[in-house]
Amino acid sequence: QVQLVESGGGLVQPGGSLRLSCAASGSVFSINAMGWYRQVPGKQRELVAAIGGTDSTNSADSVRGRFTISRDKANNTVYLRMNSLQPEDTAVYYCAAASSPAKLLVSSLGPDYWGQGTQVTVSS
């Protein structure tokens, strides 16, 4: 089992920045990809960004150029740096981990593990 604990969410004004963190613990040797999803009420959870074992990254078109995913392998932590935040970025953000990148990139598969979620609100 893997446990994922997120932190860093909160309220920010439009144009502002936040950094989310997700610390993994437990059977971390089984993880080969981590990512961030977000969800708003009434909509499906969507992949925001993912990072694989070779540090290759993917991001959604809606956040490309504004959000950056990175990780600290030594501390089993993944980050999501969010710049130029807009009200439409308001959502609950979830950390996810999987045994293969495909499980994050192919929507019909899905991650093996989820964090509890952290609220990000962009509002003036």
Side-chain angles (χ1 to χ4, degrees):
Q1 286 293 317
V2 172
Q3 294 78 43
L4 303 173
V5 178
E6 300 117 331
S7 61
L11 173 64
V12 63
Q13 292 187 341
S17 299
L18 281 175
R19 190 181 77 159
L20 305 182
S21 301
C22 173
S25 61
S27 302
V28 295
F29 57 86
S30 68
I31 298 173
N32 285 301
M34 295 186 73
W36 289 94
Y37 289 71
R38 66 186 181 187
Q39 188 171 27
V40 297
K43 291 191 176 182
Q44 283 192 328
R45 197 171 293 188
E46 63 172 357
L47 178 66
V48 175
I51 186 166
T54 58
D55 287 343
S56 59
T57 62
N58 294 83
S59 58
D61 290 343
S62 58
V63 305
R64 195 166 296 135
R66 300 188 298 123
F67 292 10
T68 303
I69 189 170
S70 61
R71 70 177 180 183
D72 179 347
K73 291 183 180 179
N75 292 304
N76 299 309
T77 300
V78 66
Y79 304 97
L80 184 68
R81 177 68 180 181
M82 304 184 292
N83 295 329
S84 302
L85 282 161
Q86 300 302 318
E88 53 265 34
D89 295 316
T90 296
V92 177
Y93 284 71
Y94 295 90
C95 178
S99 57
S100 73
K103 290 186 174 183
L104 301 184
L105 300 177
V106 179
S107 59
S108 60
L109 296 178
D112 298 306
Y113 304 100
W114 291 100
Q116 80 282 1
T118 185
Q119 177 71 45
V120 172
T121 302
V122 184
S123 175
S124 55

